[in-house]
Amino acid sequence: MTQKKISGRFDSLTRRDILRAGAGAAALTAGTSVLGMPAIAQERSIKIGSYGGYFEDSFKKHIYPVFTEATGIKVESVTQPNSSDWLVTMQQAAASGTAPADLSLYGKDTMIKAMRIGGLLKPLDVAKIPNASNMKKDFLYEGSDGLVGVGAMAWFTAMVINPNEIKPAPTSWKEFWENPALESSLGLSKQYDARFLDITAATYFDGAETLMTEEGITAVIDKVAEIKPNVALWWTAESQMEQAMKNEDVIGGMYYLDVAGLMAADGFPIAPIFPKEGNPIGYGSWCLSPLSEKSEEAAEFISFSCDPATQALMSRKIGTAPLVDKSLTGLSDEEYAGVSGEPYITPAYEAYLDKESFIKEKWDAMLAGA
């Protein structure tokens, strides 16, 4: 399946064989917090939307059965496209009075869009989601009516290097601009919204705030233009960067953290790095349809999802990053490093929505320029 990304990520989750990484993962134990003794089975159910391919298959195989065993609530999996397209479907559903899914998985930008449209997200009762207290506050999205999104899982775009060629390892993204040894050696994404703008803003400016004005956007893109002599590949497909790193056509750049880990495990010369500015984070959140009559079941599933044991299970079986503190998950240092790290860069979501045409025009002109 060719699945469009949320802010540039989920297509690889649908293609990659990341389940290899979970082959040796430990199952949840009976003594783990909310996943203790199963509740008495009842005729209860819920429809949950998630991205297709390996991602959805992994939820159906590894996540939903554990939830059903713990609560007696059956899960009907609904394949949803990327969250922006799915939002259109949910708008149409709201107009017709039907709900294709009770819970949907939305990116932060899509939640913002939904709140601006209005009437597409049903407030959640946080008192019925006790494990939400495990979540870092960045991943609890408050709307005008209260809590409307609770983080599900995260993923990273990371600095990557060939550790045989770049020594010592960079500690800052600045080295990609300033190290003369990296001329014509880097691979960066060609997409304007693939987070290199956020990386540049965090490295040389005031982060997301700088991208909220056209003057700031122009300054950031001008800074990106300065790195062009060091870029050997502006990649548009994940496979292009993968092959370039394998062939050593590039020796550094930006790539997906989880896939880089898989490549390294297979013996290819690639190492993901968390520099001092951080790497861009993307994440999905569980959101409840206003037409759903399954608020109780939704609250139970979201609380289950927020349990550190479930977060660890998703990391091991799906390759996503946990949204709770590492110390709560039981993940080893090696397991955690394969899917997550700190610090992280929060993308300028509002800027990409409000200034999309301006950003794209300036970005394309920068790429086309000498």
Side-chain angles (χ1 to χ4, degrees):
M1 176 175 181
T2 303
Q3 181 67 51
K4 187 179 176 182
K5 297 174 274 189
I6 296 179
S7 300
R9 179 63 193 96
F10 263 126
D11 65 337
S12 68
L13 282 174
T14 62
R15 294 197 305 273
R16 64 198 164 103
D17 55 349
I18 196 164
L19 296 182
R20 292 179 297 155
L28 294 177
T29 60
T32 304
S33 55
V34 76
L35 307 181
M37 294 299 292
I40 298 174
Q42 302 175 37
E43 292 299 320
R44 303 171 69 200
S45 64
I46 185 171
K47 293 181 179 180
I48 301 177
S50 64
Y51 309 98
Y54 274 125
F55 187 77
E56 182 183 8
D57 289 344
S58 297
F59 263 88
K60 290 162 67 175
K61 182 177 181 180
H62 300 293
I63 310 301
Y64 298 150
V66 180
F67 172 68
T68 300
E69 183 180 0
T71 64
I73 299 172
K74 296 180 180 179
V75 175
E76 180 181 341
S77 183
V78 178
T79 303
Q80 68 172 80
N82 74 85
S83 57
S84 293
D85 288 350
W86 186 241
L87 185 62
V88 175
T89 299
M90 296 302 282
Q91 284 182 267
Q92 296 169 344
S96 64
T98 60
D102 299 295
L103 279 179
S104 295
L105 193 58
Y106 287 154
K108 177 71 175 288
D109 52 351
T110 305
M111 288 191 290
I112 295 172
K113 286 181 184 179
M115 287 303 300
R116 292 179 177 183
I117 294 169
L120 296 177
L121 302 180
K122 188 174 184 177
L124 299 162
D125 185 351
V126 71
K128 295 182 179 179
I129 310 174
N131 281 318
S133 62
N134 294 312
M135 288 281 116
K136 298 175 182 178
K137 291 184 178 180
D138 288 355
F139 308 118
L140 300 175
Y141 185 63
E142 296 276 349
S144 56
D145 297 326
L147 183 68
V148 293
V150 176
M153 77 293 289
W155 52 92
F156 285 90
T157 301
M159 172 190 282
V160 294
I161 64 167
N162 181 324
N164 300 328
E165 297 292 334
I166 303 180
K167 295 179 181 180
T171 59
S172 170
W173 283 101
K174 286 185 177 181
E175 295 186 44
F176 278 11
W177 276 264
E178 300 172 3
N179 188 341
L182 295 180
E183 184 176 357
S184 299
S185 299
L186 301 177
L188 302 178
S189 175
K190 191 176 183 180
Q191 304 303 318
Y192 73 94
D193 58 352
R195 303 307 175 223
F196 196 68
L197 280 178
D198 298 287
I199 290 168
T200 307
T203 302
Y204 286 100
F205 300 92
D206 294 325
E209 183 179 348
T210 303
L211 293 170
M212 294 304 296
T213 67
E214 292 185 357
E215 181 182 9
I217 292 165
T218 299
V220 173
I221 292 178
D222 285 347
K223 190 64 185 180
V224 173
E226 294 178 13
I227 205 174
K228 289 175 65 178
N230 288 352
V231 180
L233 172 68
W234 291 98
W235 55 272
T236 56
E238 178 182 322
S239 58
Q240 292 175 315
M241 181 60 175
E242 176 183 345
Q243 198 59 48
M245 287 296 296
K246 287 180 177 179
N247 294 342
E248 301 188 31
D249 295 328
V250 300
I251 60 173
M254 59 187 294
Y255 199 46
Y256 303 125
L257 175 65
D258 51 357
V259 183
L262 287 176
M263 289 173 61
D266 282 343
F268 292 104
I270 185 171
I273 304 292
F274 268 79
K276 65 181 183 180
E277 299 87 5
N279 286 320
I281 190 172
Y283 72 98
S285 294
W286 299 118
C287 297
L288 182 62
S289 166
L291 299 176
S292 175
E293 297 179 354
K294 302 285 187 174
S295 294
E296 296 291 331
E297 289 83 356
E300 289 190 55
F301 179 79
I302 295 172
S303 192
F304 162 84
S305 177
C306 293
D307 187 280
T310 306
Q311 290 284 300
L313 183 66
M314 289 192 286
S315 293
R316 289 171 172 142
K317 296 295 187 179
I318 309 176
T320 54
L323 300 181
V324 301
D325 191 84
K326 173 183 178 292
S327 63
L328 301 175
T329 64
L331 292 170
S332 68
D333 290 345
E334 183 179 2
E335 288 175 321
Y336 186 78
V339 296
S340 190
E342 294 179 342
Y344 54 79
I345 297 170
T346 300
Y349 295 107
E350 289 85 357
Y352 289 104
L353 293 175
D354 296 337
K355 306 287 186 180
E356 180 180 14
S357 296
F358 183 82
I359 293 173
K360 188 175 186 304
E361 179 181 344
K362 288 288 185 180
W363 178 266
D364 289 345
M366 180 274 297
L367 290 178

